[in-house]
Amino acid sequence: MIQKVAVIGSGTMGSGIAQVAATAGCAVKIYDTNLDALSRSKNALEKTLSMLLEKGKIDAAEQNRISSSITYVSALEELFDSELVIEAIIENLDIKRKLFSELETIVSAETILASNTSSLSIASIAASCQKSERVIGIHFFNPAPLMQLVEIVPAVQTNERTLQKSVETISKWKKIVAVAKDTPGFIVNRVARPFYSEALRIYEEGVADFATIDWSMKTFGGFRMGPFELMDFIGHDVNYIVTESVFTAFYFDSRYKPAFTQKRLLEAGFLGRKSGRGFYNYSEEIPKPTENETLGQQIFERILVMLINEAADALFLNIASTNDIDNAMTKGVNYPKGLLAWADEKGIAWCVEKLDALYNEYHEDRYRCSPLLRKMNRENKTFY
């Protein structure tokens, strides 16, 4: 088992990953060039551990063990003895490639080099290394200590040893692993796009306002947050940029097209909860939804069938297995059900009919039915 782990980047994500690794018994080094950021990371961890102690989740011995397992360093050379390095820095391909190229001159030939990127090409990052076969994507979700899912993404260069050792390690860290193909957005950030984009489309068509769409998804779908609440929570500086990057990476496929409504908020600096205003103005009372059951059911079903279609297409294109796709959505973004299981529940014929009705109404490629759904409908098959 891997014992020595390094995390590059001491922000929320990097600090969270370090906490997970230390809790699992690893000796962890957090590297950052910013000494203030390292200090904030250390203080945040101590605060978290104290809170866990107060709640009875850990005892004093465990608190001390986790805390003493983490070392904070500001020189990259300090990572020389690491068996696994996980990079959790800015989502910039050129910066990541430069870092990996430099890392390779410091660590051993057997060290696994992993990126926590949510959507960038692992193959492109790996290509910056001489030993590209030991590079892999290990994508945690925020907050890392609480979220169960980790997407593991082998590049075309990644060898079997690197993949198996990564899966084994993350599983021993008590996380649920979903192995995904190295395509834009991997599983979650690809399959979840319609939750946002179709909600935005419904709003832009004037079908319903933000509050009503959110109410529909929570009331009829059982989602913890509606799409506009969630986008405001994530922040438009994050959510919109991911949408735009996935759209670009898929050669401008209309299924991933961003919305001007969200772009304008980003341009205005209305980033959501973090700035006090996004789709909602948080200094004012949140508007009440129009609680029309028929309308709400229609909104929910339209967004749901688009999500199901995206999940089916991910399976059709071998992005991940049926179980990994459903686990990714329930454990990575807290969906109330796996989308492929949901498709079985609603009926494959129902999915195809809904999608065909949308396509016939709009004649837009974004509403094309996945070939897998159409084939399953013909053959009277289910996902499970």
Side-chain angles (χ1 to χ4, degrees):
M1 179 182 169
I2 285 172
Q3 295 291 339
K4 295 181 178 180
V5 176
V7 179
I8 296 180
S10 62
T12 303
M13 181 58 80
S15 299
I17 295 169
Q19 182 186 331
V20 171
T23 301
C26 298
V28 184
K29 292 178 181 176
I30 299 182
Y31 162 80
D32 204 306
T33 55
N34 186 324
L35 295 177
D36 288 338
L38 284 173
S39 179
R40 286 194 297 270
S41 174
K42 185 174 184 178
N43 291 338
L45 176 68
E46 296 304 331
K47 186 176 178 181
T48 297
L49 294 176
S50 294
M51 191 167 60
L52 291 172
L53 179 67
E54 287 172 19
K55 290 182 176 180
K57 303 281 187 181
I58 58 174
D59 59 22
E62 179 72 350
Q63 178 189 26
N64 184 61
R65 185 193 67 77
I66 295 170
S67 180
S68 61
S69 295
I70 301 177
T71 308
Y72 300 83
V73 302
S74 58
L76 201 63
E77 291 73 21
E78 294 270 4
L79 311 186
F80 72 97
D81 59 347
S82 304
E83 297 168 88
L84 168 64
V85 180
I86 302 176
E87 162 274 311
I89 62 171
I90 188 171
E91 285 286 84
N92 180 295
L93 185 59
D94 290 337
I95 293 173
K96 289 182 191 292
R97 283 171 55 88
K98 183 175 183 294
L99 171 65
F100 273 67
S101 181
E102 189 176 352
L103 259 178
E104 198 172 37
T105 66
I106 295 167
V107 298
S108 83
E110 299 302 310
T111 302
I112 294 173
L113 303 180
S115 174
N116 185 61
T117 181
S118 60
S119 58
L120 296 176
S121 163
I122 303 300
S124 185
I125 294 170
S128 66
C129 294
Q130 294 294 318
K131 284 180 63 65
S132 57
E133 65 274 12
R134 43 90 165 263
V135 177
I136 196 165
I138 299 181
H139 177 222
F140 287 79
F141 290 80
N142 200 21
L146 298 180
M147 299 303 287
Q148 292 178 282
L149 183 80
V150 176
E151 292 178 323
I152 293 187
V153 188
V156 291
Q157 304 100 310
T158 307
N159 63 21
E160 191 62 24
R161 172 196 171 272
T162 301
L163 174 58
Q164 291 306 320
K165 206 162 184 64
S166 298
V167 170
E168 173 191 308
T169 299
I170 300 303
S171 297
K172 284 181 177 176
W173 290 3
K174 297 183 180 178
K175 294 296 183 182
I176 293 170
V177 169
V179 178
K181 189 183 283 188
D182 183 17
T183 53
F186 312 139
I187 304 170
V188 171
N189 279 321
R190 175 196 183 124
V191 174
R193 284 352 295 160
F195 189 72
Y196 314 113
S197 63
E198 201 59 26
L200 281 157
R201 178 64 180 264
I202 290 167
Y203 166 77
E204 289 181 342
E205 288 178 11
V207 174
D209 59 19
F210 304 137
T212 301
I213 296 168
D214 281 346
W215 169 80
S216 302
M217 296 308 290
K218 290 186 291 184
T219 303
F220 298 99
F223 289 87
R224 294 183 188 180
M225 299 177 78
F228 297 103
E229 288 175 310
L230 185 54
M231 284 185 277
D232 270 0
F233 180 78
I234 294 168
H236 303 294
D237 52 334
V238 175
N239 184 264
Y240 178 82
I241 298 303
V242 171
T243 300
E244 193 173 55
S245 69
V246 170
F247 178 56
T248 303
F250 274 110
Y251 307 110
F252 307 103
D253 187 326
S254 61
R255 288 188 301 176
Y256 309 109
K257 188 177 180 181
F260 282 115
T261 298
Q262 190 178 24
K263 188 172 192 285
R264 294 295 178 258
L265 290 179
L266 178 64
E267 291 168 341
F270 299 157
L271 305 180
R273 284 189 175 275
K274 68 178 76 175
S275 67
R277 183 173 172 184
F279 292 114
Y280 299 107
N281 187 336
Y282 294 93
S283 65
E284 300 174 357
E285 187 178 348
I286 302 300
K288 301 293 184 190
T290 302
E291 296 187 6
N292 180 314
E293 288 200 14
T294 302
L295 176 62
Q297 186 72 31
Q298 289 171 349
I299 290 168
F300 158 62
E301 289 182 352
R302 177 169 164 181
I303 295 173
L304 175 63
V305 80
M306 291 294 282
L307 286 166
I308 288 171
N309 196 45
E310 196 61 48
D313 228 36
L315 182 62
F316 175 64
L317 296 171
N318 295 303
I319 304 305
S321 69
T322 301
N323 283 329
D324 280 355
I325 290 169
D326 274 1
N327 278 337
M329 304 316 291
T330 55
K331 307 302 182 185
V333 277
N334 292 320
Y335 279 18
K337 298 175 188 175
L339 292 169
L340 300 177
W342 220 332
D344 282 351
E345 182 183 304
K346 299 294 282 187
I348 305 300
W350 177 88
C351 298
V352 173
E353 287 166 13
K354 285 282 182 187
L355 288 161
D356 284 348
L358 285 166
Y359 184 82
N360 290 336
E361 182 174 349
Y362 293 101
H363 286 277
E364 289 182 42
D365 206 35
R366 71 186 274 135
Y367 298 112
R368 67 186 185 270
C369 178
S370 169
L372 179 59
L373 284 175
R374 209 173 285 288
K375 183 173 186 287
M376 290 173 68
N377 188 40
R378 281 198 314 269
E379 298 175 356
N380 198 29
K381 290 184 176 179
T382 58
F383 288 106
Y384 290 96

